[in-house]
Amino acid sequence: MTFSSVAFVAAESDAAQAAMRRLESRYDHVDPDRADLVVALGGDGFMLETLHRFVGRRIPIYGMNRGTVGFLMNSFREHGLIERLSRAQKVILHPLRMIARTSQGEQVEALAMNEVSLLRETRQAAKLRIRIDGKVRLDELACDGILLSTPAGSTAYNLSAHGPIIPLGAGITALTPISPFRPRRWRGALLPHTATVIFEVREAAKRPVSAVADYTEVRDVAEVEVREDRSIDLALLFDPEHNLEERIIAEQFLP
């Protein structure tokens, strides 16, 4: 990996801010808007924020964990950073693009690095119709919600909802129901990354549903369209001994 200028960004936590001060005192750095490589200090949530922040510039992001889980982050060390950045391996991710249309006729677009999820807003179960590439695959799903996950996001909310872990190069996304009631035995599907998925909310006035793309929430949706946006490349950097592909495989063998 070659680069000429580095910037540091950090989450608001004390640990992340302290780490940034130590790194800035030790290494040459520039303003994030002028850098050609960004080092992000925090947890997975902050990494998602950083990816969204720099999505238009297509510069690589190297994360170091100053948060909790840190699945998308490398381990934190002050020494040897330039050498680590030079040896880092690049992983290209493509986000999901959500187009949500509300019951009031408003349209909202947002990107999701992890997943797009639909969630019931009240005590009553949501009722959803699912179309994939124009064909109705499930006329009515009664559930708490449903999500469509990228491979990078498959170990996050998707895994908690009992969805499959997906290797990065598999070329598929995971469609995973959240507490399905009817059909009771349906546990989701694996879809080609080229698929366009449309969720139609049935009885929207009686059973309101919200749609969430990472941290963008749209309330009272009537229809949500989701597809992978391959025109956007997101570059993450990982230490060779701790790359994301290896972590995704290893996650499937944890007790």
Side-chain angles (χ1 to χ4, degrees):
M1 180 70 201
T2 59
F3 58 93
S4 59
S5 56
V6 176
F8 299 102
V9 295
E12 295 181 357
S13 68
D14 292 342
Q17 289 292 318
M20 183 169 68
R21 289 193 295 271
R22 293 198 299 271
L23 291 173
E24 286 184 335
S25 67
R26 187 165 186 166
Y27 299 100
D28 292 335
H29 59 280
V30 299
D31 184 271
D33 292 331
R34 295 192 293 113
D36 59 9
L37 189 152
V38 170
V39 175
L41 304 160
D44 288 339
F46 183 70
M47 173 58 84
L48 291 179
E49 293 179 24
T50 305
L51 289 170
H52 279 277
R53 175 180 174 181
F54 294 101
V55 68
R57 293 195 52 208
R58 298 188 174 187
I59 60 176
I61 312 294
Y62 180 89
M64 287 202 286
N65 189 23
R66 292 284 82 189
T68 306
V69 179
F71 190 82
L72 297 175
M73 316 300 277
N74 299 282
S75 59
F76 176 78
R77 294 195 302 272
E78 287 185 44
H79 64 276
L81 177 60
I82 302 304
E83 292 76 11
R84 291 175 72 185
L85 295 177
S86 298
R87 295 188 301 108
Q89 298 175 345
K90 182 187 295 186
V91 174
I92 300 296
L93 306 179
H94 303 289
L96 299 174
R97 180 173 294 277
M98 176 186 78
I99 304 174
R101 302 174 180 89
T102 71
S103 299
Q104 295 74 37
E106 181 185 7
Q107 180 170 301
V108 179
E109 291 194 32
L111 296 176
M113 316 306 174
N114 272 1
E115 76 279 319
V116 171
S117 56
L118 276 69
L119 305 165
R120 67 185 176 105
E121 296 179 9
T122 68
R123 60 181 176 80
Q124 291 186 301
K127 287 189 175 181
L128 307 172
R129 177 183 287 121
I130 302 172
R131 296 180 182 271
I132 300 172
D133 292 333
K135 183 173 183 177
V136 175
R137 291 294 183 179
L138 202 54
D139 188 59
E140 183 175 284
L141 171 67
C143 57
D144 280 355
I146 194 168
L147 61 86
L148 186 69
S149 170
T150 66
S154 66
T155 58
Y157 193 3
N158 173 71
L159 183 59
S160 298
H162 307 291
I165 296 175
I166 305 172
L168 288 179
I172 55 179
T173 57
L175 182 65
T176 303
I178 303 168
S179 301
F181 180 66
R182 288 285 188 276
R184 192 179 298 274
R185 296 184 183 278
W186 189 67
R187 290 295 178 264
L190 293 172
L191 305 177
H193 68 84
T194 56
T196 297
V197 182
I198 295 179
F199 303 100
E200 300 174 14
V201 180
R202 309 189 69 173
E203 303 178 34
K206 181 182 179 182
R207 303 169 184 272
V209 171
S210 65
V212 182
D214 284 349
Y215 51 77
T216 299
E217 180 179 10
V218 184
R219 305 281 289 181
D220 301 332
V221 295
E223 181 181 281
V224 178
E225 177 181 326
V226 187
R227 60 179 176 81
E228 186 181 81
D229 192 336
R230 297 196 63 88
S231 69
I232 299 176
D233 295 337
L234 303 168
L236 273 67
L237 300 177
F238 293 94
D239 295 328
E241 67 275 12
H242 203 47
N243 66 68
L244 185 58
E245 186 74 66
E246 167 59 25
R247 274 186 251 188
I248 289 176
I249 294 174
E251 189 77 18
Q252 299 174 82
F253 294 90
L254 293 178

